[in-house]
Amino acid sequence: MRRKAIELAAVATAAVPGLTPTAVSSAPDDPADFDSALLLDSEGKRWRVRSPRHAEASARLETEFLVLRAFAPAIRAELPFLMPTVAGSVRLGSLSTFVYSHLGGSTRSVEELTAGPDALAREIGVALAAIHDLPRAIVSNADLPSYTPNEFRQRRLNELDQAATTGKIPPSLLLRWEHALEDVSLWRFNPSVVHGDLHEDNLLVEGSRVTAVTGWTDLRIGDPADDFAWLVASNEQDFVDAVLDAYTTGRRDKPDKHLLRRAALSAEFALAQYLVKGIAAGDATMVAEAEEMLATLASDIAEHGGQPISVEPLPSVSPATVPGAAAPSVEPAAGAGAGPGMRAADGGAPTTAPPVTVVPVPAVQPAVHVTPIPDPAPATPPAHTEGGADGGSSTGTATGTKTGAPDAPGGPDDTSTAALTIVDANKN
């Protein structure tokens, strides 16, 4: 059930003792997973509330709680941006809602970011470099996922097999993605700490500065190219190049030469992941939207060639040999080897094909990765910050339940929303 901003304000009073909201407005977030709101309290402080819409989203917020707790003050101090701090949480049924202290800045659309000054592109590159240079112990100590290049590639192959079973992926895309995943030369990279859900809604910007990075629900050790997928999908090559230049300069390790190819693959494959997610959720609207975007992507690639993702060129083959293809539309290349339904052995050389024309791929939604929830470890005493501590200060166990709050009118127990005025908190 979707929660309105005014309802989230009432929930926040149960999560944070003493919080008395005076104004509330909705906040941008992943609409399929979360309801979010910005609050202004009686003391002029601002807060953000995130409420999951289903169990998977709640699990991601629980994981983010562990991630934020793993970032010690010394590590946070070295980052060129701020991170959220959990002020409190409350459990509503089987789902956990979290309240975070407010961070300065605002979200911007991809179009606004790409049209911004060069300094903003450099800021994004520096922020990406700082994330990927984080100590890997942050991930391992929190018992979060860690993948070697081959493990990551095999994981994507498994996801591709799952997507293919839906029968809703255009055969040409299945062939294109499988060829890239079997091209082992593409998957030689140094794993790093990866944000995992980086896109424009998780960047807070003020002027030409990146002030904060949010949405730490999918932290892992894996392919740094995943954090570039949303940039590649922007279709603004000059902007992507500017970000990559700043990123390369800021990294301790030089990025591999195929990073943007894998980022383009991740951006395209996000559509298949979105389709599978919609089918699993039984959301007909999501499924229809995903099918439409997949068809558009397949049409654009067939007409223009698409962005290059494989190092080795894709062999020209007949779609009739691809499972699910309706009818052949191109003649197989002379001397073509095994059919596209068969995976080539690692290192096998595919048949060459004419060069393709590089054009932008339509913008796609970022991939969503679900990570397991580790058993919470005892937290060290958090450093005090405005609006809450790094590890969270109080957690309610039921609706309207809180810890250590006075039972007075207008206090945390008072969840009445009658006195709230709905305004745009960003204008205060």
Side-chain angles (χ1 to χ4, degrees):
M1 180 183 70
R2 184 172 296 279
R3 296 183 182 275
K4 298 179 180 179
I6 199 168
E7 294 176 306
L8 294 178
V11 171
T13 64
V16 181
L19 175 61
T20 305
T22 58
V24 58
S25 67
S26 59
D29 213 320
D30 297 329
D33 297 326
F34 304 105
D35 297 318
S36 294
L38 294 177
L39 307 181
L40 182 68
D41 69 8
S42 57
E43 298 180 357
K45 296 179 182 178
R46 301 188 183 196
W47 311 81
R48 187 186 186 198
V49 187
R50 297 187 83 192
S51 181
R53 300 200 65 199
H54 49 78
E56 178 188 314
S58 183
R60 292 173 62 199
L61 289 184
E62 296 280 359
T63 299
E64 182 181 43
F65 174 77
L66 296 177
V67 169
L68 295 177
R69 190 172 63 182
F71 279 83
I75 296 177
R76 290 179 179 238
E78 294 181 357
L79 294 173
F81 51 80
L82 297 177
M83 294 181 62
T85 55
V86 177
S89 66
V90 62
R91 196 164 186 85
L92 304 171
S94 61
L95 308 179
S96 295
T97 295
F98 285 81
V99 180
Y100 305 83
S101 56
H102 177 71
L103 297 171
S106 59
T107 58
R108 297 185 185 178
S109 67
V110 173
E111 292 75 18
E112 291 173 325
L113 291 175
T114 56
D118 293 340
L120 180 55
R122 290 193 294 271
E123 282 272 313
I124 295 174
V126 169
L128 279 165
I131 294 172
H132 295 170
D133 279 339
L134 282 168
R136 296 175 60 160
I138 289 179
V139 174
S140 56
N141 290 345
D143 198 25
L144 295 172
S146 178
Y147 302 102
T148 65
N150 191 56
E151 288 171 343
F152 185 81
R153 184 174 70 94
Q154 187 58 54
R155 183 169 179 260
R156 279 287 164 86
L157 279 168
N158 294 340
E159 290 180 315
L160 178 62
D161 288 342
Q162 181 184 11
T165 62
T166 66
K168 297 179 180 296
I169 309 290
S172 60
L173 293 181
L174 290 175
L175 174 62
R176 173 179 168 85
W177 296 338
E178 184 179 57
H179 178 72
L181 288 167
E182 291 290 4
D183 187 353
V184 293
S185 61
L186 188 66
W187 301 94
R188 297 189 180 113
F189 62 88
N190 291 325
S192 69
V193 175
V194 177
H195 181 280
D197 190 27
L198 197 63
H199 51 85
E200 64 275 14
D201 286 344
N202 285 333
L203 290 178
L204 297 182
V205 177
E206 194 172 78
S208 60
R209 293 181 53 247
V210 174
T211 57
V213 178
T214 62
W216 298 83
T217 58
D218 296 297
L219 193 74
R220 59 180 178 268
I221 294 174
D223 186 1
D226 276 0
D227 284 346
F228 280 83
W230 70 283
L231 289 167
V232 172
S234 71
N235 305 323
E236 296 290 343
Q237 192 59 47
D238 290 342
F239 178 74
V240 174
D241 290 342
V243 172
L244 183 61
D245 286 345
Y247 172 80
T248 303
T249 302
R251 279 298 307 270
R252 287 195 295 266
D253 297 330
K254 183 179 180 181
D256 68 281
K257 61 182 179 180
H258 299 315
L259 182 142
L260 291 185
R261 288 177 179 266
R262 296 194 309 278
L265 171 62
S266 181
E268 292 182 16
F269 192 64
L271 295 179
Q273 293 171 316
Y274 187 64
L275 172 68
V276 172
K277 183 176 180 179
I279 292 175
D283 191 324
T285 301
M286 281 181 65
V287 173
E289 184 181 11
E291 287 188 88
E292 182 180 356
M293 290 189 293
L294 285 163
T296 300
L297 175 61
S299 175
D300 287 347
I301 291 175
E303 182 177 356
H304 304 292
Q307 296 194 41
I309 55 176
S310 301
V311 178
E312 296 291 343
L314 182 68
S316 297
V317 293
S318 170
T321 61
V322 182
S329 58
V330 294
E331 292 298 322
M342 303 291 292
R343 290 182 180 161
D346 288 350
T351 309
T352 59
V356 296
T357 302
V358 179
V359 297
V361 175
V364 299
Q365 299 194 14
V368 177
H369 303 279
V370 180
T371 56
I373 306 174
D375 294 330
T380 56
H384 178 74
T385 59
E386 180 183 2
D390 289 345
S393 57
S394 66
T395 303
T397 57
T399 304
T401 304
K402 71 226 182 284
T403 305
D407 296 331
D413 276 340
D414 183 6
T415 58
S416 171
T417 60
L420 293 181
T421 302
I422 302 178
V423 300
D424 187 350
N426 290 321
K427 295 181 180 179
N428 290 307

